[in-house]
Amino acid sequence: MTRGLILRNIPYSDSSRIIRCFTSESGIKAYFIRLSKNKKQTGHLQVGCFIEFQTKGTSNGITSITESRPDSAINQCELHPSLIGVWLFTIELLNKSLPEDFHVPGLSQAIDTYYTHLSHQSISAEPLIPLILISSKLGVHDPLTCEVEEKSTLAESLYLLNIQTTPSSVTNIKFLPTLHEFQLHFNIKRIESLYLL
């Protein structure tokens, strides 16, 4: 079974979808999937859900998912409503910055860890946290250049994710300039999930 995180769900027909999935081994991949008529069997195929699946090749070159289920390795308790915005923001950053078939070592595990802490509310819901996490894993931002106030919720949250920053008496890293740098680097015109934050 392959593990993945659904980043995008594109309608293909009434009974099928193309899903963009961030896999732990191959980065982002696109898959074709036929939907069951039973909605209870397809609830795990929503954007932001972790899944386990099996695939087979098809004649048109798109790999098909033959079997899928919620990922048993991730405790997928429902996110508190106040956390959904930051999780969708995280998903959008991944979807817009990663090309298909590009594997970034350690990124999948870091996202799994972030989601686990977020779902248990043991980490701050600040959008700067996933932004720094993804930026640092993709080499856009060196977290050691970030001066973060010691014992702040930001510093504690980054510590939980094994992100080293430079201790300071004040926090000098700001969300909007860091996001702007990220968008420029990946030529991202718009982040739709910002209105949820």
Side-chain angles (χ1 to χ4, degrees):
M1 290 290 248
T2 302
R3 296 183 59 236
L5 168 62
I6 299 176
L7 302 182
R8 192 157 180 223
N9 195 324
I10 306 159
Y12 186 76
S13 71
D14 290 344
S15 62
S16 61
R17 299 284 184 268
I18 302 290
I19 60 171
R20 285 194 73 194
C21 204
F22 176 51
T23 66
S24 54
E25 296 162 5
S26 306
I28 292 183
K29 303 284 272 177
Y31 298 101
F32 175 84
I33 187 165
R34 290 206 182 278
L35 302 177
S36 168
K37 291 181 182 177
N38 183 347
K39 294 201 180 224
K40 287 183 181 179
Q41 294 179 345
T42 59
H44 64 282
L45 297 174
Q46 303 302 314
V47 170
C49 291
F50 293 88
I51 62 171
E52 294 177 310
F53 56 96
Q54 288 184 331
T55 61
K56 70 173 184 175
T58 62
S59 59
N60 63 2
I62 298 177
T63 304
S64 290
I65 292 177
T66 57
E67 180 186 339
S68 68
R69 63 179 178 241
D71 188 345
S72 60
I74 298 285
N75 181 9
Q76 296 190 67
C77 52
E78 284 191 31
L79 287 176
H80 187 274
S82 65
L83 305 174
I84 292 172
V86 74
W87 181 238
L88 291 176
F89 173 70
T90 306
I91 297 299
E92 187 173 1
L93 292 181
L94 289 169
N95 188 46
K96 291 188 171 179
S97 62
L98 291 172
E100 283 195 25
D101 301 319
F102 183 72
H103 176 68
V104 178
L107 180 56
S108 178
Q109 182 181 2
I111 296 299
D112 292 357
T113 302
Y114 173 67
Y115 178 83
T116 300
H117 284 294
L118 191 65
S119 66
H120 289 95
Q121 298 183 37
S122 59
I123 200 167
S124 170
E126 231 179 295
L128 188 55
I129 293 165
L131 179 59
I132 292 172
L133 173 66
I134 295 169
S135 292
S136 65
K137 289 293 182 185
L138 297 180
V140 176
H141 208 105
D142 180 0
L144 287 174
T145 64
C146 302
E147 292 183 15
V148 178
E149 186 176 353
E150 290 185 86
K151 298 183 182 170
S152 67
T153 57
L154 177 62
E156 290 170 2
S157 295
L158 293 173
Y159 176 79
L160 285 173
L161 298 172
N162 294 318
I163 297 174
Q164 300 290 323
T165 57
T166 302
S168 173
S169 58
V170 294
T171 300
N172 80 351
I173 184 166
K174 303 293 181 215
F175 175 68
L176 288 177
T178 306
L179 178 62
H180 182 68
E181 181 183 342
F182 186 89
Q183 287 181 260
L184 282 175
H185 185 86
F186 292 105
N187 197 24
I188 299 170
K189 302 277 187 257
R190 211 172 89 191
I191 302 287
E192 286 84 7
S193 57
L194 278 179
Y195 76 94
L196 297 171
L197 301 176

